[in-house]
Amino acid sequence: MNAKLVPYLMSEDARTQAEFYKKVLSGEILAIKTYGEVPGTPEEIKDKVMHMVLSLAGGNILFFSDIFEPVEGNRNISLSLTFEDETEARQAFAELREGGEIRYPFELQPWGACYGEILDRFGVTWQFATTI
């Protein structure tokens, strides 16, 4: 079997969320499709994101879509980033926590790598680590 796993984030504001990640994690928006591209879409949701592709942090991919109900954070899934450069990891951690909550400070761990965890302002849990 050969497959690629891509996290798909449901968002109350996919454009704002993707732009934030793009800035913080050196990303690039590769594609955006709106609901307005589908015939018969109600006028009030035509500009909403049906599907967006974001490349970030060295080629990782995230998909996004606007949803029409409140999004709440949970602990069922986390997005994990592992950095080779501790300085880059610390900078991204500091920027991503803007408006969010530190769940675990980014610190050197007994196993020899740095680790930290953030619940960002969009309700997504991120784990940051450095290679040993």
Side-chain angles (χ1 to χ4, degrees):
M1 179 182 297
N2 185 15
K4 187 174 192 175
L5 179 66
V6 178
Y8 210 121
L9 301 178
M10 302 297 133
S11 177
E12 292 179 43
D13 186 352
R15 290 177 198 269
T16 299
Q17 189 170 357
E19 285 293 334
F20 180 66
Y21 296 159
K22 175 182 155 186
K23 180 186 94 176
V24 170
L25 299 170
S26 302
E28 177 184 2
I29 294 173
L30 302 177
I32 299 175
K33 299 290 181 192
T34 65
Y35 285 100
E37 295 176 54
V38 177
T41 297
E43 194 64 37
E44 62 272 10
I45 66 166
K46 282 191 174 191
D47 291 332
K48 293 287 190 177
V49 173
M50 184 171 57
H51 180 71
M52 181 186 301
V53 180
L54 174 67
S55 172
L56 53 83
N60 297 288
I61 299 292
L62 288 178
F63 290 164
F64 290 86
S65 182
D66 281 320
I67 60 170
F68 307 102
E69 58 191 54
V71 174
E72 296 181 23
N74 64 57
R75 302 281 295 164
N76 291 336
I77 191 167
S78 298
L79 300 180
S80 179
L81 290 172
T82 302
F83 293 80
E84 291 183 18
D85 184 297
E86 183 180 334
T87 302
E88 285 180 356
R90 288 189 182 282
Q91 180 179 347
F93 186 88
E95 291 179 24
L96 195 62
R97 76 176 182 208
E98 179 184 312
E101 168 189 334
I102 295 176
R103 291 275 175 95
Y104 194 89
F106 190 76
E107 300 173 341
L108 184 61
Q109 301 301 313
W111 59 84
C114 292
Y115 175 84
E117 190 174 306
I118 295 170
L119 177 66
D120 76 18
R121 66 185 190 199
F122 302 102
V124 175
T125 300
W126 291 85
Q127 297 177 348
F128 279 71
T130 57
T131 55
I132 297 175

